[in-house]
């Protein structure tokens, strides 16, 4: 379970609802203490508006881009210098998630060499905690009990999406990870090495 002092966070995601669905409780928790930014691809005007509304509920800023590109991610990382970067798993079952993860991770080394940031990188959870290679290996489990209702409120801002399915999945996954640390709700992350440095399994 995370015991670190929250630092600034950049979440680079594929879809307008990804941040809320996979890590909304954690982002809301960090936003109480430090800047949080969500960078997401634009699908259409309605979904971009939903992303902005949901991010505001979490206490986060949002960067809506036409499409993630490596140089744009480098520029964003250098401009924001986040302590923490969160991306999709490289072996995510969704092809858009895999594509965006590869782009964001390709930008990390260049940003670190230029600015020293981000200092920690993590992969977020995915559909029912299953990757292409099996169960999601969430080694960092964050208690989001206090911010779980904020997460659900923000998720429901995505009114164009199948919310009954998404909210149900979020509740199941939150309760499942929470049960592993003796809390009502939690979210899980996987540390990713950054130029040979691996975040401690108790930090996010």
């Amino acid at each position: 379970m995370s015991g670190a002092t929250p630092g600034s966070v950049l979440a680079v995601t594929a879809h307008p609802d990804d941040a809320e669905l996979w890590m909304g409780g954690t982002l809301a928790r960090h936003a109480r203490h430090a800047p949080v930014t969500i960078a997401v691809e634009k699908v259409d005007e309605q979904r971009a508006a939903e992303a902005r509304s949901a991010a505001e509920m979490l206490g986060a800023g949002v960067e809506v881009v036409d499409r993630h590109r490596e140089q744009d991610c480098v520029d964003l990382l250098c401009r924001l210098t986040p302590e923490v970067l969160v991306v999709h798993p490289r072996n995510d079952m969704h092809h858009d998630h895999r594509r965006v993860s590869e782009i964001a991770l390709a930008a990390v080394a260049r940003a670190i060499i230029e600015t020293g940031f981000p200092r920690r990188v993590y992969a977020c959870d995915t559909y029912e905690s299953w990757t292409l290679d099996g169960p999601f290996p969430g080694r960092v489990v964050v208690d989001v009990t206090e911010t779980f209702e904020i997460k659900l409120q923000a998720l429901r801002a995505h009114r164009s999406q199948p919310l009954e399915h998404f909210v149900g999945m979020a509740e199941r996954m939150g309760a499942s990870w929470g049960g592993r640390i003796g809390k009502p709700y939690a979210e899980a992350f996987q540390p990713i090495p950054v130029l040979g440095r691996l975040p401690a399994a108790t930090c996010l």
Side-chain angles (χ1 to χ4, degrees), residues 14-164:
H15 306 113
D17 51 30
D18 282 332
E20 290 73 40
L21 186 53
W22 312 123
M23 53 185 133
T26 301
L27 295 183
R29 175 179 176 270
H30 277 251
R32 293 176 171 178
H33 306 277
V36 172
T37 305
I38 301 164
V40 60
E41 291 188 338
K42 180 178 180 180
V43 176
D44 54 41
E45 290 295 342
Q46 179 179 1
R47 296 201 66 190
E50 290 172 349
R52 294 186 182 97
S53 177
E56 184 177 358
M57 293 176 188
L58 296 178
V62 65
E63 300 259 350
V64 178
V65 302
D66 289 333
R67 188 172 177 85
H68 288 301
R69 295 177 176 83
E70 182 179 337
Q71 184 59 54
D72 294 335
C73 283
V74 173
D75 293 343
L76 186 61
L77 285 164
C78 290
R79 173 161 56 90
L80 298 178
T81 60
E83 182 78 18
V84 177
L85 172 66
V86 187
V87 299
H88 296 289
R90 296 179 67 178
N91 59 348
D92 199 291
M93 64 191 304
H94 198 298
H95 63 94
D96 284 341
H97 292 186
R98 296 194 302 272
R99 172 180 57 81
V100 170
S101 178
E102 289 289 347
I103 291 168
L105 291 175
V108 167
R110 293 170 59 191
I112 289 175
I113 290 169
E114 185 167 337
T115 69
F117 294 90
R119 300 197 186 279
R120 305 193 297 277
V121 179
Y122 300 86
C124 63
D125 208 346
T126 187
Y127 295 94
E128 302 291 1
S129 299
W130 279 93
T131 72
L132 292 173
D133 300 319
F136 177 71
R139 304 193 191 285
V140 175
V141 182
V142 179
D143 177 12
V144 297
T145 304
E146 290 186 4
T147 55
F148 197 74
E149 284 304 316
I150 298 173
K151 168 193 174 88
L152 295 185
Q153 179 185 10
L155 184 56
R156 291 188 179 103
H158 297 277
R159 295 184 178 87
S160 64
Q161 299 308 292
L163 288 183
E164 182 176 352

